[in-house]
Amino acid sequence: MKDYWGKVKKLFIVLTVLGLIASLATTDILAKKERNIKGNLLIVGGALGSSNSDVYEKFIELSGGKKKAKIGIIPSASGSLKSSNQFKEDLISYGVDEKSIEILPISSHDFSGTEEDESLWNENAENKQVRKQIKKLTGIWFVGGDQLKITDALMRENGEKTMALEEIWDIYEKGAVIGGTSAGAAIMSDVMITGGDSLGGLRQEFTTEDVSNPDEEYAPVYIEKGLGFFQWGIVDQHFNERSRMGRLAATALRFKAPDELAYGIDEDTAMVVNNQEGTVSVLGRSNVTIVDIASAKTSRNEIRDLDISYLSPGDELKVKTKEYMIEEDKVETKDYEYYNFKPLQATGVLSSYGTLPHYLSYSLVDNEAVTEVTSYLYDSKGKGFELTFRQGEDTNGFWGYQDGQKDTYSLLHVKMDVSPVKVSFNEKDRLEDFKETPLDTSESAFDPDTKGSLVIVGGALGSSNEEVYKEFIERAGETGKIGIIPAASSSLKSSQTFKEDLTSYGFPPEQIDILPISNHDFKGTEEDESEWKDNKNHPDIAGRILDYDGIWFVGGDQTDITDALLNGDGTKSLALENIWEIYRNGAVLGGTSAGAAIMSDVMIAGGGSYDTLAKGYTDSYDGMSQQEGGPGYLEKGLGFFPYGIVDQHFDKKARLGRLIATTAVYGEGNELSYGIDEDTALIVDNQSRTVEVKGRGGVSIVDLSQSDLSPSSHTYEDIRLSWITSGDQFNLETKEFSISDHKQSTNDYEYYDYYAAPHTGVLTPHPTLANYLSFSLLDNAWMDEVKSYSFSENEGFELTFRKGSGTEGFWGYKDGNKDDYSFFGVEMDIKPVEVMIENN
């Protein structure tokens, strides 16, 4: 939560030292005796969304159910009572009686925004009345904030338990559930990670006292004694979002018994611990990382053979035997890898799948082309580490869908090696030759009087993404008709799933058709759909389109859509003419992934950011493998969006570089370009000339109108980059932003104040571009500019992001207490560099 993260980012300025002795490894923290506990744990990695029904319903179930649950909320970690009140409201919304929930008066400090002085609660942990309150509870919840405030409130100065903590342990051993998020997760293990980052961890720098140095680019790992409810290892939180693999691995190597595991929990994700059965299972939206040091070897700052596994929702681990049980709906990837491409090293914000679990899933485990991949982590002086991730004999992956057709991966036994290196950069005039490709977009077919609208989704639209589905249904009309064009996909499954999702939101199934328009056969059907090739000009099939109020293009390969709807000479088919007709008259057109790429006149059909910036474009296209990298490939799109170029899967596949390069060479005038994140929609209203964002991610807006551009010499200066999220709007004519009123400006009110290291790879905190800029630049008073590097072999790019006179950031909460940022006007430069990497 935000009040906690401010303290971490200021490197623990206000943390209270509990006073562990020099080495925790010699204390009884590791030499504990396992207890017979009937209760369970539900440990959340932070940023629990109010909409995360799986997690809330499990906590209520473990508390005895809606009618029997008696839940106490311990607010002590937070700076205010807001998060406690929010959690109480969420429990009520899931059916728990308000009278069965109480906020326990346990705190060592005063809260902001209340009339009462809660610092007077300091003695309540020894109060018999409070102990009686706890005794009747079936569930305890610790909110997020500062974990030391929890231990300070519940432990005596000599390290012994207060009466309140003794009673919590008593009800836990008898069957109560204990849960917590963020700081409320950190206190769960005996070894409590209180601060620090991966760079400090890999440098093997640890502290048991406050060493606040905000002018340093990294922080040593700060260890204190936790409450020990979790008996089987160390817990860390905000794991993938803060890239904490390095700090957890280093902590495990220093402070944990070799046969124990260490656990990193992602945000909005829960690790459920069944003490009686000895199992750990996963609920929520992301992963739990398991670090096994049993076979790891260390030498100075080198680490070899660290074993890493990732569990996703539905998976389970038997702790004692280290046996993994993967949800049965997932299929093995070993010997059936889906991808076959040579991934670039993960070196910065232009790395596809830039978070560690995504990078390992797509680029290594589900990719038959390689057996190892590499990333880096270093400070602004280049001093850091090379990170190598390898497949071993026992490495395996498991893939499935979740929440509709979102990829979900579980990975077992990826090996990780860490070696010290020195990375240096020098200016370079240019890289290799930059190749353009002739692209004739012709004159736009767009009619300025068009009444219709667009719902353009960046891919991986979740079935639970209510606001996007309802937006599409509302614009089609609840009594309207919708046609789904399946052409992009290799099967009809995605079309059928979209129809089912529309139906689940109340749209009549008889009003939805899957149109027989395709240029290829589909898997898993008896019919040969390649015979639909000529349907685009069939009078009856094309005529049906005139009855529709909405058209949806599913994802897949965008070139299959254009091939299925354009004639061989590039002219519109009868079906496409009729789509244009209903669009002009008010119909909504929507699409996801490939169905988003076709929306602009310039259609980006392939290529990666680094290779497009470095090499330019290719005239050849060899199918979906080209989606994962290589030089850019462009074709003529369908032009429904006339206001600039659209790209999709934007943040996950790190497509900023290819969008900038494409806009520089093939953009029109002062038009802007738009990169749409997954599970996110850009809503385009042609009549008001506005766009609005809906969904879980954001939309990046690239403005080159003030830029000095030289693609052939690989130099771009004074780019303007903006990022808007759900509820934000942008006027296409005036170029003015309208930020949702739940956010406030961060200018002159920056929450953080610390030295941000450059973005260097998958262990960089806040690894996605938008989050990196939000936390490290926009909401950080210390930094006026930050850098990232993208390179291959001995050359690459330096990316500089800076605050300018027109830069502004915005922050608020969404879906409970999740940070929600927007910004506009970040200035950006791209310059070629020479790279040298030396063993250190």
PDB file of all heavy atoms in Angstrom, residues 7 441 512 765:
ATOM      1  N   LYS A   7       7.837   4.529   2.670  1.00  0.00           N
ATOM      2  CA  LYS A   7       8.911   4.291   3.627  1.00  0.00           C
ATOM      3  C   LYS A   7       9.994   3.412   3.042  1.00  0.00           C
ATOM      4  O   LYS A   7      11.176   3.594   3.300  1.00  0.00           O
ATOM      5  CB  LYS A   7       8.332   3.683   4.898  1.00  0.00           C
ATOM      6  CG  LYS A   7       7.373   4.664   5.577  1.00  0.00           C
ATOM      7  CD  LYS A   7       6.641   4.037   6.723  1.00  0.00           C
ATOM      8  CE  LYS A   7       5.713   5.040   7.371  1.00  0.00           C
ATOM      9  NZ  LYS A   7       4.727   5.568   6.458  1.00  0.00           N
ATOM     10  N   THR A 441      -0.506   3.426 -47.977  1.00  0.00           N
ATOM     11  CA  THR A 441      -1.755   3.400 -47.218  1.00  0.00           C
ATOM     12  C   THR A 441      -2.893   4.048 -47.984  1.00  0.00           C
ATOM     13  O   THR A 441      -4.041   4.005 -47.554  1.00  0.00           O
ATOM     14  CB  THR A 441      -1.578   4.123 -45.875  1.00  0.00           C
ATOM     15  OG1 THR A 441      -1.167   5.471 -46.118  1.00  0.00           O
ATOM     16  CG2 THR A 441      -0.525   3.430 -45.026  1.00  0.00           C
ATOM     17  N   ILE A 512     -26.432 -12.987 -31.496  1.00  0.00           N
ATOM     18  CA  ILE A 512     -24.989 -13.018 -31.773  1.00  0.00           C
ATOM     19  C   ILE A 512     -24.705 -14.070 -32.833  1.00  0.00           C
ATOM     20  O   ILE A 512     -25.120 -15.223 -32.706  1.00  0.00           O
ATOM     21  CB  ILE A 512     -24.187 -13.356 -30.502  1.00  0.00           C
ATOM     22  CG1 ILE A 512     -24.575 -12.439 -29.336  1.00  0.00           C
ATOM     23  CG2 ILE A 512     -22.676 -13.259 -30.785  1.00  0.00           C
ATOM     24  CD1 ILE A 512     -24.017 -12.879 -27.994  1.00  0.00           C
ATOM     25  N   PRO A 765      13.142  -2.955 -10.119  1.00  0.00           N
ATOM     26  CA  PRO A 765      11.854  -2.678  -9.478  1.00  0.00           C
ATOM     27  C   PRO A 765      10.898  -1.949 -10.429  1.00  0.00           C
ATOM     28  O   PRO A 765      11.327  -1.139 -11.248  1.00  0.00           O
ATOM     29  CB  PRO A 765      12.238  -1.778  -8.298  1.00  0.00           C
ATOM     30  CG  PRO A 765      13.659  -2.128  -8.002  1.00  0.00           C
ATOM     31  CD  PRO A 765      14.279  -2.438  -9.332  1.00  0.00           C
TER      32      PRO A 765
END
